[in-house]
Amino acid sequence: MKKKPVTGMRDILPEEMEIRNYAMNLIRETYGSFGFLPLETPCVEHIENLSSNQGGENEKLIFKILKRGEKLKIDQAQGEMDLVDGGLRYDLTLPLSRYYANNASKLPAPFKALQMGNVWRADRPQRGRFRQFMQCDIDTLGDPSCLAEIELIAATTTLLGRLGFKGFTIRINDRKILKAMARYSGFPEESFDTVFIILDKMDKLGAQGVAQELRNEGFPAEAADKYMELFSQVDSSVEGVRRCGEILGDAADAESIDNLIRIMESVEAVRTADFSVKFDPALVRGMSYYTGPIFEVSIDGFGGSVGGGGRYDEMIGKFTGQDTCACGFSIGFERIVMLLMEQKFQVPAARKKIACLIEKNMPSERMQEILKQAQALREAGNQVNTAVMKKNKKFQKEQLKEEGYEEILEFYREGL
Amino acid sequence: MKKKPVTGMRDILPEEMEIRNYAMNLIRETYGSFGFLPLETPCVEHIENLSSNQGGENEKLIFKILKRGEKLKIDQAQGEMDLVDGGLRYDLTLPLSRYYANNASKLPAPFKALQMGNVWRADRPQRGRFRQFMQCDIDTLGDPSCLAEIELIAATTTLLGRLGFKGFTIRINDRKILKAMARYSGFPEESFDTVFIILDKMDKLGAQGVAQELRNEGFPAEAADKYMELFSQVDSSVEGVRRCGEILGDAADAESIDNLIRIMESVEAVRTADFSVKFDPALVRGMSYYTGPIFEVSIDGFGGSVGGGGRYDEMIGKFTGQDTCACGFSIGFERIVMLLMEQKFQVPAARKKIACLIEKNMPSERMQEILKQAQALREAGNQVNTAVMKKNKKFQKEQLKEEGYEEILEFYREGL
């Protein structure tokens, strides 16, 4: 039999589990204090839903589930889709849309949702990325106002602060401003996706590099230059957003500009953690379903983001046939746990750890006395482990100390 | 797109999630106070491991996962097993054996494990049974003494008491006594499995019915009569176990009898909840891997058990090639949640729930003041939800009250 977990997945040791459980409780508590309500969907989804083009690249990475019983007809199968009827979910957003379509009448409006659950992607195995990982999403469904964005960001920054993170950055942009800037610079509407894929490399290539790649792609040099000139004129402050709106003039939608300023100012005003909010006109975010404000969190000294999200007003309607505005924020739970592990984070001990070592062949009545004593110590708020005393008691005690047992009681057959 | 979850699985509403989260935290806390350590294995296991005959009937119910990429050769497939390389786990015991084989060197000895996680079985859909459900197992690996059984039972009864259950019963037996009784009555060793399947119906058929069915199966009437006579001579007390040992004489193993008495006496002695421990010589428990004491919890007025377990000293060795004694207790998490829901259980409110209704088009500065106030209320320990005031404010307030908001603050554009 195989001892290793399946390729790309992993066993989690108790030490990490303590940190995960601590983080999960803090997430539930913090988001709960903002009124987000927990929900759960099955890990298995209809293969039709998973393959409906809402999932972008993730749809190529689905773990598919074989049909069962008479429905499985191997000899008649032309391709994969004839063999399967379900798949493991690759994110929590698509299942949330289905859940909302199925249960909206039983849910508050707007609905503030909290999901924590595993998702699966058959990605090429690589260091630090796994094929099963926990996602943690909050979403507000049915609130068209920017109060949704403000609360999503306020809740998440409060959470990160409570997890001990400092000096992190919320970068923010709006899909409508992103498009207005490309339009203003003279790129044709149908090429926006290509332009944004290149723009997304701003961090790596810098403005000159991006301009070069835009020209290489065949876009006019004037458009590339005007585009980069625009980026150079706006800074990352609220003032930068305002300036951006002035330059764009009619090319931009004034409401998006006001909205973004309002979000930035409000998030600053209610801050409880040590972070900064920055306008990043080059922020793209991959998924094509975003329709309004988009945002991302990054932590200094850690490459890549630890969370992100945005408004996606059109996705749920595609599912339900009824327009429902929506806005979500997903935090990278696995990255956060990894960072905490790297920092040698110690979960605050709720209880004193006591071990009771009991000599072998303890007479029954005496044993009962010892167990009663252990139980009384538990009721007094301690964590109490009982164990049979080993021959090498010294080694056993050392081990227990390493496991964090602060007090070790020894019980012998005769007397204490 | 399909709005309903896949067949046999279900969406969980916030109301139930609150109860589930409460129960999960209480489980983690209670078992944690006994020194059980949390661990997690992937939901996907090697198909070879899942199909290794350790899982009994469950192996027929596996959700199998299609191979991916070049490994999938549909046109060459002779059967299911050529198409799949993984499956969703159907229990937590088999993955625990693999986990222990993979990680024993990094774990304490003995290892006291706590697992909470979903398992999947493609059972025929029926009321109250689902194809994805949560299991919650504690296992002690590497402790041959009955201290393992005592602590498993003490921890679980403490938990059930803390969940508010009263008057429940722990029924207990030992596989070795079960076999000794059949041997003593004159059944041939190779027919024990058949005898026990019939004996397992004692609850439904009574002693006369069981005797009849044994005769129908072709067993000698004398054996059936001697067997039932034996059951009539032992009661469910510790005295019953002792009496059983006396009658069986050399047919039984004296250590099993002493062990069982010791477990029953110790569990009684350390009891913290309102329950009784009963010797049940007709307790069989389905899985064939049990080797020693077995036990089951039942709650009055609720058909069927809400948990059970036992010693399985030979299973892990089959996996690892190295004998490791083991003993586990699994509680029926879904049944417990169902019982709590039926009792209209209210999760103790940790926080006061306050809603802030904010009039539409609130000026930015005033909005920031309101959000700051909401944040201050959260920091003071309240749960605070903000929402844009709807046209039908009266209805909105009624809804919020139904959701448990005790206080509703209203904010208007002009003044408070």
Side-chain angles (χ1 to χ4, degrees):
Chain A
M1 295 208 234
K2 297 188 175 178
K3 293 186 187 185
K4 296 276 167 209
V6 297
T7 312
M9 301 191 194
R10 68 200 187 93
D11 289 333
I12 303 176
L13 291 170
E15 194 188 347
E16 179 178 339
M17 279 303 293
E18 306 270 8
I19 290 180
R20 296 175 80 88
N21 288 338
Y22 170 78
M24 282 171 71
N25 276 334
L26 206 59
I27 290 168
R28 221 176 268 133
E29 205 179 293
T30 306
Y31 285 152
S33 80
F34 281 78
F36 288 92
L37 299 175
L39 70 94
E40 224 175 84
T41 68
C43 300
V44 180
E45 272 291 336
H46 300 285
I47 194 72
E48 299 88 336
N49 290 354
L50 292 175
S51 317
S52 60
N53 283 320
Q54 301 293 309
E57 289 297 299
N58 292 333
E59 294 194 5
K60 296 179 190 156
L61 308 174
I62 302 171
F63 283 97
K64 301 191 183 80
I65 291 174
L66 205 66
K67 288 180 182 172
R68 292 151 307 283
E70 290 170 3
K71 287 182 183 162
L72 179 66
K73 298 192 175 82
I74 300 177
D75 47 347
Q76 295 170 30
Q78 302 290 314
E80 274 185 26
M81 292 306 262
D82 298 325
L83 294 170
V84 300
D85 58 0
L88 295 178
R89 60 185 180 199
Y90 48 74
D91 74 4
L92 301 177
T93 309
L94 183 106
L96 178 65
S97 303
R98 189 197 51 68
Y99 179 94
Y100 193 70
N102 190 31
N103 299 293
S105 67
K106 297 171 213 150
L107 301 169
F111 179 47
K112 295 170 82 174
L114 164 60
Q115 293 185 91
M116 284 194 273
N118 283 316
V119 302
W120 292 263
R121 295 180 192 169
D123 246 325
R124 195 178 299 271
Q126 52 186 304
R127 222 185 85 83
R129 284 187 77 168
F130 292 93
R131 290 178 160 192
Q132 170 179 316
F133 57 97
M134 172 87 84
Q135 275 205 336
C136 173
D137 285 16
I138 46 173
D139 292 89
T140 299
L141 308 186
D143 184 356
S145 84
C146 68
L147 182 58
E149 279 89 345
I150 295 167
E151 290 285 54
L152 289 175
I153 299 172
T156 301
T157 52
T158 300
L159 170 67
L160 291 172
R162 291 185 69 190
L163 282 165
F165 293 107
K166 281 178 195 154
F168 54 94
T169 307
I170 304 283
R171 290 181 303 134
I172 189 165
N173 196 8
D174 188 303
R175 277 271 169 163
K176 289 184 183 136
I177 298 174
L178 190 74
K179 286 183 181 175
M181 288 176 76
R183 200 177 297 121
Y184 167 89
S185 306
F187 294 99
E189 196 95 18
E190 64 277 12
S191 309
F192 281 4
D193 281 348
T194 316
V195 173
F196 297 152
I197 288 170
I198 296 169
L199 179 64
D200 209 12
K201 301 179 190 170
M202 186 73 104
D203 276 357
K204 277 185 232 159
L205 305 178
Q208 290 308 318
V210 168
Q212 184 63 50
E213 209 169 314
L214 285 168
R215 285 192 296 269
N216 294 351
E217 193 65 33
F219 293 111
E222 309 85 70
D225 292 343
K226 194 173 176 189
Y227 203 30
M228 291 306 116
E229 167 71 12
L230 183 50
F231 281 101
S232 74
Q233 286 175 281
V234 298
D235 66 17
S236 65
S237 69
V238 166
E239 216 34 68
V241 184
R242 213 165 264 136
R243 180 90 189 94
C244 187
E246 285 164 13
I247 301 172
L248 292 175
D250 285 346
D253 153 40
E255 209 186 314
S256 302
I257 299 284
D258 288 349
N259 214 27
L260 198 60
I261 291 173
R262 202 172 161 119
I263 295 171
M264 287 177 74
E265 283 178 347
S266 298
V267 167
E268 285 273 7
V270 300
R271 74 157 72 243
T272 57
D274 169 18
F275 69 94
S276 55
V277 193
K278 288 184 180 164
F279 172 48
D280 180 356
L283 180 69
V284 173
R285 291 202 51 78
M287 304 304 281
S288 60
Y289 53 65
Y290 290 118
T291 58
I294 46 177
F295 29 83
E296 217 166 89
V297 202
S298 50
I299 294 181
D300 266 5
F302 178 77
S305 81
V306 294
R311 184 167 281 279
Y312 55 102
D313 283 346
E314 285 158 21
M315 184 181 180
I316 295 182
K318 279 186 189 153
F319 226 99
T320 63
Q322 199 160 20
D323 276 355
T324 305
C325 55
C327 188
F329 203 141
S330 179
I331 55 166
F333 183 83
E334 301 293 343
R335 290 193 177 178
I336 285 171
V337 168
M338 207 187 76
L339 286 170
L340 292 173
M341 298 277 291
E342 281 174 11
Q343 293 166 13
K344 309 258 174 239
F345 177 81
Q346 290 289 327
V347 173
R351 289 181 290 242
K352 184 177 176 187
K353 291 174 84 173
I354 303 173
C356 299
L357 295 187
I358 307 169
E359 199 180 7
K360 263 196 164 175
N361 306 320
M362 186 65 72
S364 188
E365 279 188 26
R366 172 94 180 103
M367 179 71 147
Q368 289 167 35
E369 288 310 313
I370 298 165
L371 292 175
K372 270 189 206 171
Q373 196 174 329
Q375 193 67 7
L377 285 168
R378 284 185 195 114
E379 269 154 54
N382 301 291
Q383 174 176 328
V384 183
N385 195 359
T386 57
V388 176
M389 201 177 279
K390 292 184 187 172
K391 272 186 197 159
N392 190 342
K393 190 180 69 178
K394 191 165 165 256
F395 180 71
Q396 188 179 17
K397 286 168 75 174
E398 278 165 15
Q399 291 292 101
L400 285 166
K401 275 179 194 153
E402 263 181 41
E403 290 164 34
Y405 285 92
E406 300 159 62
E407 198 175 324
I408 299 174
L409 307 175
E410 297 168 45
F411 299 93
Y412 295 91
R413 279 195 294 275
E414 301 291 320
L416 237 167
Chain B
M1 293 207 236
K2 298 189 175 178
K3 294 185 186 184
K4 296 276 166 210
V6 297
T7 312
M9 302 191 194
R10 68 201 187 96
D11 289 333
I12 303 176
L13 290 169
E15 194 189 348
E16 180 178 339
M17 280 302 293
E18 306 272 9
I19 290 179
R20 296 174 79 89
N21 288 337
Y22 170 79
M24 283 170 70
N25 276 334
L26 206 59
I27 290 168
R28 222 176 268 131
E29 206 180 293
T30 306
Y31 285 151
S33 81
F34 280 80
F36 289 91
L37 298 175
L39 70 94
E40 225 176 83
T41 67
C43 299
V44 181
E45 271 291 335
H46 300 285
I47 194 71
E48 299 89 336
N49 290 355
L50 292 175
S51 317
S52 61
N53 283 321
Q54 300 294 309
E57 288 297 299
N58 293 332
E59 294 195 5
K60 297 178 188 157
L61 307 174
I62 302 170
F63 283 97
K64 303 190 182 79
I65 291 173
L66 204 67
K67 289 180 181 171
R68 294 150 306 283
E70 289 169 6
K71 287 183 185 162
L72 178 65
K73 298 190 177 86
I74 299 177
D75 48 346
Q76 294 171 30
Q78 302 291 314
E80 275 185 28
M81 292 306 264
D82 297 325
L83 294 170
V84 301
D85 59 359
L88 295 177
R89 61 185 179 199
Y90 49 73
D91 74 5
L92 300 178
T93 308
L94 183 107
L96 177 66
S97 303
R98 188 198 50 67
Y99 179 95
Y100 193 70
N102 191 31
N103 299 293
S105 66
K106 298 170 211 148
L107 301 170
F111 179 47
K112 295 169 82 174
L114 164 61
Q115 293 186 90
M116 283 194 273
N118 283 315
V119 302
W120 291 263
R121 295 179 193 170
D123 246 324
R124 196 178 297 272
Q126 50 186 306
R127 222 186 85 80
R129 285 187 76 168
F130 292 94
R131 289 178 161 192
Q132 171 179 317
F133 56 97
M134 171 86 84
Q135 276 204 337
C136 172
D137 286 15
I138 47 172
D139 293 89
T140 299
L141 309 185
D143 184 356
S145 85
C146 67
L147 182 59
E149 280 89 345
I150 294 166
E151 291 284 53
L152 289 176
I153 300 173
T156 302
T157 53
T158 300
L159 170 67
L160 291 173
R162 291 185 69 190
L163 281 165
F165 293 106
K166 280 177 196 153
F168 54 91
T169 306
I170 304 282
R171 289 181 304 136
I172 189 165
N173 195 9
D174 187 303
R175 278 271 170 163
K176 287 181 186 142
I177 297 174
L178 189 74
K179 286 184 180 173
M181 287 175 75
R183 200 178 298 121
Y184 168 88
S185 306
F187 295 98
E189 196 97 17
E190 63 278 12
S191 310
F192 281 4
D193 282 347
T194 316
V195 173
F196 297 153
I197 288 170
I198 297 171
L199 180 65
D200 210 10
K201 301 178 189 170
M202 186 73 104
D203 276 355
K204 277 184 230 159
L205 304 179
Q208 288 309 317
V210 168
Q212 184 63 50
E213 208 169 314
L214 285 168
R215 283 191 298 266
N216 294 351
E217 193 66 35
F219 291 112
E222 309 83 74
D225 292 342
K226 193 173 179 191
Y227 203 28
M228 291 308 115
E229 168 71 13
L230 183 50
F231 281 101
S232 74
Q233 285 175 283
V234 298
D235 66 18
S236 64
S237 68
V238 166
E239 214 35 67
V241 184
R242 212 165 266 134
R243 180 90 190 95
C244 188
E246 284 164 15
I247 301 173
L248 293 175
D250 284 347
D253 152 41
E255 209 186 316
S256 301
I257 299 285
D258 288 348
N259 216 26
L260 198 58
I261 291 171
R262 203 173 161 121
I263 294 171
M264 287 177 74
E265 284 178 346
S266 298
V267 167
E268 285 274 4
V270 301
R271 73 157 74 242
T272 58
D274 169 17
F275 69 93
S276 54
V277 194
K278 288 183 181 165
F279 172 48
D280 179 356
L283 180 70
V284 173
R285 291 202 51 79
M287 305 303 281
S288 60
Y289 52 64
Y290 289 117
T291 56
I294 47 179
F295 29 83
E296 216 165 270
V297 202
S298 49
I299 294 182
D300 266 5
F302 179 78
S305 82
V306 294
R311 182 166 282 277
Y312 54 102
D313 282 346
E314 285 158 21
M315 185 180 179
I316 295 181
K318 281 187 188 154
F319 226 100
T320 61
Q322 198 160 20
D323 277 354
T324 306
C325 55
C327 188
F329 204 144
S330 179
I331 56 166
F333 182 83
E334 302 293 343
R335 291 193 177 179
I336 284 170
V337 169
M338 207 186 75
L339 286 170
L340 292 174
M341 297 280 289
E342 281 174 8
Q343 293 166 12
K344 309 262 174 233
F345 178 80
Q346 290 289 328
V347 173
R351 288 180 291 242
K352 184 176 175 186
K353 291 175 84 173
I354 302 173
C356 300
L357 295 187
I358 307 169
E359 200 181 5
K360 264 196 163 175
N361 304 320
M362 186 64 72
S364 188
E365 280 190 23
R366 172 93 180 101
M367 179 73 146
Q368 288 168 35
E369 286 311 313
I370 298 165
L371 292 175
K372 269 189 207 169
Q373 197 174 326
Q375 193 68 7
L377 284 168
R378 284 186 195 113
E379 270 156 52
N382 302 290
Q383 174 177 330
V384 183
N385 195 358
T386 58
V388 177
M389 201 176 281
K390 290 184 188 173
K391 272 185 198 157
N392 190 343
K393 191 180 71 180
K394 192 166 162 254
F395 181 70
Q396 189 179 16
K397 286 168 75 176
E398 278 165 15
Q399 292 292 100
L400 286 166
K401 274 178 195 154
E402 262 181 42
E403 289 163 36
Y405 285 93
E406 300 159 62
E407 198 175 324
I408 299 173
L409 308 174
E410 297 168 44
F411 298 93
Y412 296 91
R413 282 195 292 276
E414 302 293 319
L416 239 169

